[in-house]
């Protein structure tokens, strides 16, 4: 038997290509009926390797109906894959329909897809979850042969991964011979992903296929004029140098880490863009039309550069991209490698990338990330049990499709890897929650979403609840947002630019201007969910978004410590960084590989303590709250704290003479529980799990629910449950999320344990060089109720004091 059908072989031949080894191995896995995980570098034909078996099967045995389901973490990736599949299919003359189904797909097309599905459907985890909620799901999905999960590393360990894995368990139940395939370029622990992909979590049932290594990427670190700022995190100071890079290359993607920084960098680049290079902007808050316009311009070569967030860093195959610029440190080697892969999307050509560090610590981080990429060292992903809020959403989706028996559904759920260890009691609690809302809420009819019939089957209590589920389903809970619309309130809606978060919009007044979608917009009015604008001018504000910053990975933190402890490498660093490290070594100490360096010093009538933990921003923010709480009890009169990825700083009226007791791990869990219970974090975590679990609706048909309304509903229910049912399923889920996601409890606990044997205390007469960056951020976090907690520090004076050796 030939390895591939003649149309595919002929298509390869006309391009002078040969079928790669890993593509043939994926084909062999398909013919053996095996699940498969392909780990191959960017540009190696990874996506084509996933689809080749499906194309071969559809050529050999044409079918009407859905044959292959492709799941992508990004809408843009699904659209890009469709574009890259349609041309080969047309050139081969195949009668195979390929369509996308995402949140951007018009409703009439979605309805038509359910009536007459294409042979290949490209979708996202959220859209797939909705698809299985329809009564005709078994008809549409019952003959499915293959599900392909692309860029599996991007979401397998998250709640999006939970909902996708549960959906695959449902697909497997509808089509028992379904074959699962996953693709990735950046996986450090393939065996863990084999277990995640396999039905019944049997990793041995998944064939692991490795692609051949590609050309080594070339990564530079940009340091304009040899100087790097003391503080900052986005590299904006280098805008003119980045424009010079754009001039030298054909097509550049300028990656940033947050949406707010995307708007800032876009504005900075245009301010330096004397040659008027066409530059676009792309992030998740822009309207679908705006994103598609930029994507098409990029694909057709009408742009020289695009400023983008993670909305474009996965799998997009634009072969003309020949440079990637990362503004600010990447926070992880896997993320940097993934982004580098967007340049020269070909296996045999080196990808070109430039990293622009935001400050001196970020220079070390950038160097560490480059070292890790050169060493092929990736960040290890940590898997955890699936969330009960996601399980509740999935069970509701299944009930919307058809009634189910609890025993059969429990067995099906346990075949999903994140829920393989789910106790029956927890499953029953989740079912009971959907059935009644729980003990404290069972008197309210609106929470009785499922009904157990006399036939022993659970079914949706009323059709309107199925409609509500489909309106509100999803695992990404973003802040409430307003539509940014061209026009004036009461005079009709013009085109939509996208969305800004409600809390930012609440600070705007008519006549104010802000930067959005790369333009200056002036507010003309408000109307319910819409913020009306016209083109404006002047010095605009820039929308900021809740959350968004990515924490420093453990692997990269370790490598940064290594650079502190390798003086022989300092000579390759910029002079100001080398001097910074050398004077720190003379005036204080450098953080050892396992030490917790703690510095204490006076400044401006206050007393500072700086601890270098290297455990990421979330852990250090939590540590700041813990330290100031303990300092208050010790009578030290703390005034405030600030944390970064590398360290935490506190300031107080009285000096810390012995820091070790402040870092004690004793009663840490009790103190953390007390603090979280009294902080906004637990309420915020409860709001998220309540929305995901379907307890609180974000959307009603034809109605706009403001963020304040959602928060009020959430807080009201939270208070009721805390008072009357403190062990409620969702309170437990919120506590789990707050501990792991918000506070990064694991890394913080390790830091406290280490402090008892490896704490190095340096008493200084003034600020140290290493402490300057974090103190320049001082004042962003405060201790509630403390007097005089404002602190303004002039950067040059602070740096001068730190770098003096006298």
């Amino acid at each position: 038997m030939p390895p591939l059908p003649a149309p595919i072989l002929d298509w390869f031949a006309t391009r002078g290509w040969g079928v790669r080894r890993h593509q043939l191995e994926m084909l062999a896995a398909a013919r053996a009926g095996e699940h498969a995980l392909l780990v191959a570098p960017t540009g190696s034909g990874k996506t084509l390797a996933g689809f080749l078996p499906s194309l071969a099967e559809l050529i050999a045995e044409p079918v009407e109906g859905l044959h292959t389901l492709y799941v992508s973490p990004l809408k843009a990736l699904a659209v890009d894959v469709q574009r890259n599949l349609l041309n080969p299919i047309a050139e081969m003359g195949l009668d195979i329909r390929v369509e996308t189904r995402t949140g951007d797909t018009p409703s009439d097309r979605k309805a038509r897809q359910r009536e007459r599905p294409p042979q290949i459907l490209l979708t996202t985890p959220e859209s797939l979850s909705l698809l299985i909620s329809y009564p005709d799901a078994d008809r549409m999905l019952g003959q499915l042969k293959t599900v392909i999960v692309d860029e599996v590393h991007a979401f397998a360990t998250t709640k999006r991964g939970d909902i996708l894995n549960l959906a695959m368990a449902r697909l497997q139940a509808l089509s028992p011979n379904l074959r699962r395939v996953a693709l990735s370029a950046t996986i450090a622990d393939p065996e863990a992903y084999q277990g995640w992909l396999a039905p019944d979590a049997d990793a041995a049932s998944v064939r692991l296929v490795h692609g051949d290594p590609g050309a080594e990427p070339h990564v530079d670190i940009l340091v304009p004029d040899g100087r790097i700022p003391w503080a900052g995190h986005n590299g904006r100071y280098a805008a003119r140098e980045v424009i010079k890079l754009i001039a030298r290359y054909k097509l550049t993607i300028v990656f940033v880490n947050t949406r707010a920084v995307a708007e800032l960098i876009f504005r900075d680049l245009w301010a330096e863009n004397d040659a008027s290079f066409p530059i676009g902007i792309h992030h998740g808050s822009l309207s679908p039309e705006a994103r598609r316009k930029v994507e098409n311009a990029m694909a057709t070569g009408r742009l020289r550069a695009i400023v983008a967030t993670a909305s474009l860093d996965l799998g997009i195959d634009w072969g003309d991209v020949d440079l990637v610029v990362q503004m600010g440190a990447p926070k992880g080697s896997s993320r940097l490698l993934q982004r580098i892969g967007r340049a020269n999307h070909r296996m045999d050509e080196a990808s070109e990338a430039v990293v622009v560090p935001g400050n001196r610590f970020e220079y070390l981080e950038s160097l560490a990330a480059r070292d890790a990429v050169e060493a092929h060292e990736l960040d290890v992903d940590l898997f955890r049990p699936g969330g009960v809020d996601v399980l509740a959403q999935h069970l509701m989706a299944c009930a919307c499709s058809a009634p189910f028996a609890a025993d059969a559904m429990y067995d099906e759920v346990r075949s999903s890897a994140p829920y393989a260890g789910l106790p029956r009691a927890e499953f029953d609690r989740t079912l009971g929650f959907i059935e009644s809302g729980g003990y404290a809420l069972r008197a309210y009819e609106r929470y009785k979403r499922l009904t157990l019939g006399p036939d022993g089957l659970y079914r949706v209590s009323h059709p309107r609840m199925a409609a509500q589920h489909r309106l509100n389903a999803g695992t990404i809970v973003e802040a409430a947002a307003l539509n940014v619309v061209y026009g004036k309130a009461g005079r009709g809606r013009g085109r939509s630019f996208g969305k800004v978060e409600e809390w930012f919009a609440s600070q705007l007044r008519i006549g104010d201007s802000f930067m959005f979608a790369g333009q200056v917009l002036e507010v003309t009015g408000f109307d319910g969910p819409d913020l009306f604008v016209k083109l404006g001018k002047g010095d605009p504000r820039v929308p900021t978004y809740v959350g968004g910053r990515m924490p420093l990975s453990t692997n990269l933190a370790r490598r940064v410590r290594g650079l502190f402890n390798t003086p022989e490498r300092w000579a390759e660093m910029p002079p100001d960084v080398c001097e910074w490290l050398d004077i720190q070594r003379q005036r204080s100490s450098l953080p050892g590989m396992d030490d917790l360096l703690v510095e204490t010093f006076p400044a401006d009538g206050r007393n500072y303590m700086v601890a270098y933990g290297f455990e990421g921003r979330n852990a250090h923010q939590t540590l700041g709250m813990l330290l100031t709480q303990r300092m208050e009890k010790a009578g030290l009169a703390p005034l405030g704290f600030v944390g970064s990825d590398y360290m935490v700083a506190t300031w107080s009226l009285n000096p810390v003479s012995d820091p070790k007791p402040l870092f004690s791990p004793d009663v840490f869990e009790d103190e953390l529980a007390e603090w979280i219970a009294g902080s906004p974090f637990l309420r915020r975590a409860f709001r998220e799990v309540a929305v995901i679990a379907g307890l609180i609706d974000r959307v009603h048909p034809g109605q706009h629910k403001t963020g304040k309304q959602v928060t009020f509903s959430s807080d009201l229910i939270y208070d009721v449950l805390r008072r009357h049912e403190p062990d409620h399923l969702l309170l437990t889920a919120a506590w789990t999320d707050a501990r792991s996601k918000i506070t990064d409890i694991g890394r913080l606990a390790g830091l406290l344990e280490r402090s008892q044997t490896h704490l190095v205390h340096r008493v200084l007469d003034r600020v140290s060089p290493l402490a300057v960056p974090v103190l320049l951020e001082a004042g962003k976090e405060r201790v509630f109720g403390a007097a005089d907690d404002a602190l303004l520090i002039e950067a040059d004076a602070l740096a001068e004091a730190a770098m003096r050796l006298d």
Side-chain angles (χ1 to χ4, degrees):
M1 176 187 290
L4 286 167
I8 299 179
L9 289 175
D10 292 344
W11 182 76
F12 270 89
T14 58
R15 280 154 182 72
W17 296 349
V19 185
R20 295 186 186 272
R21 174 194 54 78
H22 60 269
Q23 292 172 334
L24 291 175
E25 283 194 44
M26 293 294 286
L27 189 67
R31 286 177 174 164
E34 297 174 345
H35 310 293
L37 169 64
L38 172 60
V39 182
T42 297
S44 62
K46 184 169 67 271
T47 305
L48 182 58
F51 279 108
L52 272 180
S54 296
L55 295 178
E57 290 172 17
L58 287 169
I59 291 171
E61 298 180 24
V63 299
E64 278 298 323
L66 189 58
H67 178 284
T68 296
L69 193 65
Y70 166 93
V71 184
S72 154
L74 298 178
K75 299 173 185 177
L77 179 53
V79 173
D80 185 64
V81 168
Q82 182 194 29
R83 179 169 51 238
N84 290 325
L85 266 181
L86 288 177
N87 285 340
I89 286 173
E91 290 164 359
M92 293 180 207
L94 305 178
D95 185 19
I96 298 175
R97 288 184 296 121
V98 181
E99 297 181 8
T100 60
R101 183 186 182 94
T102 70
D104 294 343
T105 305
S107 57
D108 58 338
R109 190 184 307 164
K110 290 181 180 179
R112 194 257 304 149
Q113 287 171 346
R114 287 168 45 215
E115 288 295 321
R116 185 171 175 262
Q119 285 90 351
I120 299 176
L121 184 64
L122 316 175
T123 190
T124 60
E126 293 75 19
S127 290
L128 173 57
S129 180
L130 286 175
L131 199 57
I132 66 174
S133 75
Y134 286 96
D136 55 2
D138 57 343
R139 179 183 60 80
M140 181 179 181
L141 303 167
Q143 301 303 313
L144 188 65
K145 301 298 184 205
T146 303
V147 58
I148 302 170
V149 182
D150 203 357
E151 307 291 359
V152 64
H153 63 275
F155 54 105
T157 60
T158 70
K159 291 189 178 185
R160 297 184 79 200
D162 293 348
I163 201 71
L164 172 58
N165 210 289
L166 286 167
M168 288 197 296
R170 176 98 286 247
L171 294 175
Q172 202 82 47
L174 295 173
S175 181
N177 294 324
L178 175 70
R179 203 172 64 84
R180 305 183 185 190
V181 174
L183 316 172
S184 178
T186 51
I187 286 180
D189 184 3
E191 186 176 348
Y193 281 88
Q194 286 175 276
W196 180 88
L197 183 65
D200 303 311
D202 179 13
S205 69
V206 178
R207 181 186 294 203
L208 176 61
V209 179
H210 282 286
D212 295 326
E216 295 292 332
H218 182 261
V219 183
D220 282 329
I221 300 175
L222 180 62
V223 183
D225 303 320
R227 305 294 297 177
I228 299 178
W230 284 94
H233 60 86
N234 51 39
R236 294 179 60 196
Y237 67 94
R240 175 164 289 276
E241 297 301 318
V242 173
I243 283 290
K244 291 178 182 178
L245 289 172
I246 290 171
R248 287 168 44 199
Y249 287 83
K250 185 175 181 180
L251 192 55
T252 300
I253 300 181
V254 180
F255 278 115
V256 299
N257 291 339
T258 69
R259 288 167 285 182
V261 172
E263 296 285 352
L264 287 168
I265 294 295
F266 182 85
R267 182 175 66 170
D268 293 341
L269 292 180
W270 267 110
E272 302 290 350
N273 190 11
D274 298 334
S276 297
F277 296 123
I279 302 174
I281 184 171
H282 192 288
H283 59 72
S285 290
L286 300 180
S287 68
E289 296 77 17
R291 293 196 305 269
R292 281 196 292 266
K293 182 178 179 181
V294 169
E295 291 162 18
N296 289 333
M298 191 93 171
T300 54
R302 289 179 283 127
L303 291 179
R304 289 293 296 274
I306 181 170
V307 180
T309 61
S311 61
L312 284 186
D313 71 1
L314 294 170
I316 308 298
D317 186 8
W318 289 321
D320 288 338
V321 176
D322 51 358
L323 178 67
V324 160
V325 176
Q326 167 66 42
M327 303 296 285
K331 303 303 170 189
S333 57
S334 295
R335 182 176 296 110
L336 178 59
L337 185 61
Q338 187 72 45
R339 292 181 169 182
I340 290 172
R342 300 312 105 219
N344 287 336
H345 202 91
R346 291 173 289 275
M347 185 176 174
D348 53 353
E349 294 185 22
S351 297
E352 297 283 337
V354 174
V355 180
V356 183
N359 57 54
R360 298 179 183 200
F361 267 101
E362 284 203 349
Y363 176 84
L364 297 179
E365 185 184 330
S366 301
L367 185 56
R370 186 175 72 180
D371 290 348
V373 167
E374 291 175 353
H376 306 283
E377 185 178 274
L378 302 174
D379 300 310
V380 176
D381 295 316
L382 300 178
F383 287 83
R384 82 282 178 274
V388 293
D389 51 343
V390 178
L391 176 60
Q393 183 179 129
H394 175 73
L395 293 177
M396 187 65 187
C398 292
C400 291
S401 177
F404 63 78
D407 290 347
M409 183 56 68
Y410 176 63
D411 290 341
E412 181 181 309
V413 166
R414 291 248 306 184
S415 72
S416 170
Y419 298 89
L422 180 73
R424 180 59 190 255
E426 194 78 350
F427 176 84
D428 289 339
R429 282 185 73 201
T430 307
L431 261 183
F433 156 70
I434 313 172
E435 185 181 10
S436 67
Y439 170 78
L441 302 175
R442 65 175 57 250
Y444 299 92
E445 199 68 29
R446 59 176 296 191
Y447 299 120
K448 298 177 181 178
R449 293 179 288 157
L450 290 187
T451 299
L452 179 61
D455 55 359
L457 300 181
Y458 283 90
R459 48 179 46 84
V460 176
S461 299
H462 193 281
R464 71 172 178 273
M465 293 181 175
Q468 279 296 100
H469 168 80
R470 296 187 187 108
L471 276 175
N472 290 278
T475 59
I476 301 174
V477 182
E478 295 188 332
L482 295 186
N483 303 310
V484 180
V485 181
Y486 191 83
K488 286 191 175 181
R491 299 187 184 180
R493 300 171 87 254
R495 71 184 179 97
S496 172
F497 291 95
K499 296 176 180 289
V500 294
E501 291 184 1
E502 190 177 84
W503 74 270
F504 172 78
S506 68
Q507 304 172 52
L508 299 174
R509 300 292 180 267
I510 293 175
D512 287 351
S513 62
F514 62 98
M515 189 82 179
F516 188 67
Q519 302 179 75
V520 177
L521 304 177
E522 181 182 321
V523 179
T524 62
F526 300 85
D527 186 8
D530 297 328
L531 165 63
F532 286 90
V533 298
K534 66 179 181 180
L535 296 181
K537 57 185 178 180
D539 186 22
R541 301 170 67 176
V542 177
T544 52
Y545 301 85
V546 174
R549 282 201 187 181
M550 297 168 282
L552 179 70
S553 73
T554 303
N555 171 49
L556 220 52
R558 188 78 179 166
R559 281 188 168 273
V560 171
R561 280 183 178 270
L563 290 171
F564 280 115
N565 291 274
T566 317
E568 58 269 24
R569 292 200 60 186
W570 296 358
E572 66 186 78
M573 300 178 187
D576 58 340
V577 175
C578 184
E579 180 188 26
W580 176 59
L581 297 176
D582 188 47
I583 293 180
Q584 172 69 25
R585 179 173 56 178
Q586 296 180 59
R587 287 209 41 235
S588 175
S589 293
L590 289 165
M593 291 304 296
D594 298 302
D595 292 343
L596 175 62
L597 174 62
V598 177
E599 296 174 332
T600 53
F601 51 85
D604 298 328
R606 293 168 178 80
N607 294 279
Y608 290 87
M609 178 176 69
V610 181
Y612 302 88
F614 295 89
E615 296 297 349
R617 183 175 296 272
N618 289 346
H620 290 153
Q621 295 280 49
T622 306
L623 178 59
M625 291 296 291
L626 177 67
L627 290 173
T628 51
Q629 191 169 286
R630 290 179 172 183
M631 291 168 71
E632 187 74 40
K633 292 177 180 177
L636 298 176
L639 300 173
F641 78 91
V642 63
S644 73
D645 272 318
Y646 317 101
M647 64 193 102
V648 60
T650 67
W651 53 96
S652 57
L653 293 180
N654 299 317
V656 175
S657 58
D658 181 9
K660 191 172 181 178
L662 296 175
F663 291 87
S664 170
D666 296 341
V667 301
F668 163 58
E669 288 281 351
D670 294 338
E671 287 177 292
L672 185 67
E674 178 185 348
W675 170 63
I676 290 180
S679 77
F681 292 140
L682 190 56
R683 287 181 181 269
R684 190 172 82 199
F686 177 78
R687 192 177 311 135
E688 290 190 5
V689 299
V691 167
I692 291 171
L695 187 68
I696 296 172
D697 294 327
R698 290 172 282 193
V699 183
H700 288 277
Q703 297 181 22
H704 169 67
K705 199 168 186 179
T706 67
K708 288 183 179 179
Q709 289 171 321
V710 172
T711 300
F712 178 78
S713 300
S714 169
D715 287 350
L716 186 64
I717 296 173
Y718 174 83
D719 290 336
V720 168
L721 295 182
R722 283 287 302 272
R723 192 177 308 118
H724 299 291
E725 196 178 354
D727 61 345
H728 189 278
L729 183 80
L730 296 192
L731 286 179
T732 303
W735 173 250
T736 300
D737 277 8
R739 284 167 55 92
S740 61
K741 184 170 65 175
I742 299 174
T743 64
D744 216 338
I745 185 71
R747 294 178 73 171
L748 177 54
L751 183 154
L752 296 181
E753 289 290 343
R754 193 170 67 247
S755 73
Q756 299 308 290
T757 54
H758 292 79
L759 190 147
V760 176
H761 181 202
R762 293 288 181 259
V763 180
L764 308 177
D765 61 355
R766 62 182 184 274
V767 61
S768 74
L770 283 195
V772 171
V774 74
L775 291 195
L776 290 175
E777 296 187 37
K780 291 185 178 179
E781 300 290 340
R782 299 201 166 86
V783 180
F784 297 108
D788 190 19
D789 59 346
L791 182 63
L792 298 176
I793 303 176
E794 206 281 319
D796 290 339
L798 189 66
E800 182 182 356
M803 298 295 282
R804 287 201 323 266
L805 284 173
D806 58 319

